[in-house]
Amino acid sequence: MKKYNSTVAQCDLSVVIPTLNRREVLKRVLDALAHQTYPADRYEVVVVDDGSTDGTQDVVEAAGRTGPPAVRYVRQTPGKRGPASANNLGIKAAQGEWILFLNDDVVADPHLVEEHVRFHRAYGDIIVQGRVVN
């Protein structure tokens, strides 16, 4: 597991993103996660690469150098095991108290992380599922 900008003092939330050859849209996803209303030093992003060949690792490394938030790259080996397996690996790598699974094509609203943490604090250990706006 290779880490970039991985210092998280008190990590409330880990955003786990499985990906495979989606480098261009992943840039937008990571940019949106870097511009959240929640304090960037209180959450991390864990990108689990399922065997990409399109330079995905370079995108994640670049995002990790500009943080916070902390951005970590995890490569699933062998690759192409699917998003469920990548999510499980992301859980193992996560340092947050709570985990938010995000697809590699979901560009987050600026309040996503803040609202996700707020719901967990208000209602305990629950599954939070929100609206999707296309």
Side-chain angles (χ1 to χ4, degrees):
M1 178 180 347
K2 199 168 187 179
K3 297 181 181 182
Y4 302 97
N5 190 22
S6 60
T7 305
V8 181
Q10 174 76 24
C11 190
D12 297 324
L13 181 78
S14 296
V15 180
V16 174
I17 306 171
T19 193
L20 175 62
N21 291 327
R22 302 290 298 271
R23 141 190 187 121
E24 291 306 316
V25 72
L26 185 61
K27 286 181 194 177
R28 293 179 38 217
V29 171
L30 294 174
D31 184 59
L33 289 171
H35 293 92
Q36 294 290 299
T37 56
Y38 198 71
D41 62 342
R42 308 264 318 179
Y43 67 98
E44 67 172 354
V45 178
V46 179
V47 178
V48 183
D49 187 347
D50 194 22
S52 295
T53 58
D54 67 345
T56 293
Q57 183 173 353
D58 297 334
V59 169
V60 177
E61 287 175 355
R65 287 191 295 269
T66 62
V71 178
R72 294 191 291 139
Y73 176 85
V74 179
R75 182 143 180 118
Q76 182 164 256
T77 53
K80 298 189 180 174
R81 296 179 62 201
S85 180
N87 279 336
N88 288 336
L89 186 56
I91 290 169
K92 291 177 185 175
Q95 297 176 0
E97 181 177 351
W98 299 296
I99 295 174
L100 168 61
F101 295 107
L102 201 63
N103 290 341
D104 62 0
D105 62 352
V106 174
V107 178
D109 178 88
H111 302 282
L112 175 68
V113 171
E114 179 180 11
E115 289 297 304
H116 197 84
V117 170
R118 183 177 70 80
F119 268 78
H120 275 292
R121 287 191 175 137
Y123 301 107
D125 291 331
I126 60 168
I127 295 174
V128 180
Q129 184 174 356
R131 296 182 304 149
V132 174
V133 179
N134 292 320

